[in-house]
Amino acid sequence: MEILVVEDEAGIADFLERGLRAEGYAVRVAGDGEEGARLAVEPEVDLVVLDRMLPGLDGLEVLARVRRARPGLPVIMLTAKGEVADRVEGLDRGATDYVTKPFAFEELLARIRARLRSDASETTLAAAGIRLDLITRAAERDGVVTELPRREAELLAYLMRHQGRVCTREELLSAVWGYDHDPGTNIVQVYVGYLRRRLARPGAPAPIETLRAVGYRLRERP
């Protein structure tokens, strides 16, 4: 597996390169946005660790170019910006995951392994009468296909992988949006509402249950 690190701070880039090589990954490093955008679209690259603030080309613009050329490539954004709005912006623009500086290398490594494992082993999910294509984000239910926005697809995928189990609001915030904790947001409730409307069919509401004050569950039977 080859990982591209796009990071302009030489010390962090060197630290990541040495650490990832020690774990058996092939690593390339780009020190600015233009070089990062050019290298990221090469087919040999399996995952990108992308700094948010870069010289030459901002990390979000790099991400936009990557998404246009390689929509399924995992991209983990790395940034000193810890505000919720910044994390949401990166995720909404197509980042696969988000890690805030300073970070533990072991945590970043675990996220890389998870993303590479998911990307390599799964292309579709099926649960509760729903089939979800993880590449195109197309959800099929009762013969009707609906293409989901990225965040809704990630939320549905998480619920499908944990079908029958109650997923707490905090768990979903962390898994889908990358929030550590934000008691003031109702974003999970809002996006569950979006999903329910998209998946509902005449006489057959979406199989997503709300357990008041606990969380949400995808029913085991449609």
Side-chain angles (χ1 to χ4, degrees):
M1 292 287 187
E2 182 168 299
I3 296 174
L4 171 64
V5 175
V6 187
E7 169 62 67
D8 64 311
E9 294 185 44
I12 295 176
D14 181 66
F15 167 71
L16 290 175
E17 183 178 13
R18 287 186 290 105
L20 292 170
R21 288 190 185 279
E23 293 294 326
Y25 296 106
V27 183
R28 277 195 276 182
V29 176
D32 61 65
E34 291 287 353
E35 184 184 16
R38 177 177 59 81
L39 293 177
V41 300
E42 295 186 3
E44 295 81 9
V45 173
D46 296 294
L47 181 143
V48 179
V49 176
L50 175 64
D51 190 29
R52 171 67 171 80
M53 304 297 291
L54 292 166
L57 196 66
D58 181 77
L60 290 178
E61 180 56 34
V62 175
L63 178 62
R65 293 190 185 185
V66 171
R67 283 290 162 255
R68 287 194 293 269
R70 298 187 61 188
L73 181 68
V75 177
I76 298 177
M77 294 208 77
L78 200 64
T79 181
K81 289 193 171 185
E83 296 297 324
V84 168
D86 294 311
R87 295 202 300 270
V88 170
E89 183 179 20
L91 291 166
D92 281 346
R93 293 212 191 176
T96 313
D97 207 342
Y98 213 102
V99 177
T100 304
K101 299 175 184 177
F103 60 90
F105 178 73
E106 291 76 11
E107 178 190 358
L108 176 62
L109 188 61
R111 291 175 184 255
I112 288 172
R113 285 195 299 260
R115 294 303 176 181
L116 289 175
R117 184 168 58 245
S118 174
D119 186 60
S121 64
E122 289 183 310
T123 58
T124 61
L125 294 172
I130 301 166
R131 183 177 179 84
L132 176 63
D133 187 314
L134 297 174
I135 304 300
T136 65
R137 304 196 302 275
E140 180 180 357
R141 185 181 185 222
D142 295 341
V144 178
V145 178
T146 305
E147 186 173 327
L148 301 176
R150 178 174 299 276
R151 198 61 57 233
E152 292 174 44
E154 291 183 356
L155 175 58
L156 177 59
Y158 193 88
L159 292 170
M160 292 176 75
R161 290 187 178 110
H162 299 86
Q163 181 188 14
R165 179 173 75 76
V166 178
C167 300
T168 67
R169 174 179 168 277
E170 291 76 15
E171 176 185 351
L172 293 169
L173 276 172
S174 176
V176 179
W177 283 271
Y179 293 9
D180 295 325
H181 182 62
D182 184 1
T185 184
N186 68 340
I187 196 168
V188 175
Q189 178 184 350
V190 169
Y191 274 74
V192 167
Y194 293 160
L195 270 182
R196 283 175 169 152
R197 288 192 289 275
R198 292 186 194 276
L199 296 174
R201 303 290 178 258
I208 303 174
E209 297 179 333
T210 299
L211 287 88
R212 189 176 298 277
V214 181
Y216 301 92
R217 175 172 59 198
L218 189 70
R219 294 199 304 272
E220 294 190 9
R221 292 180 178 81

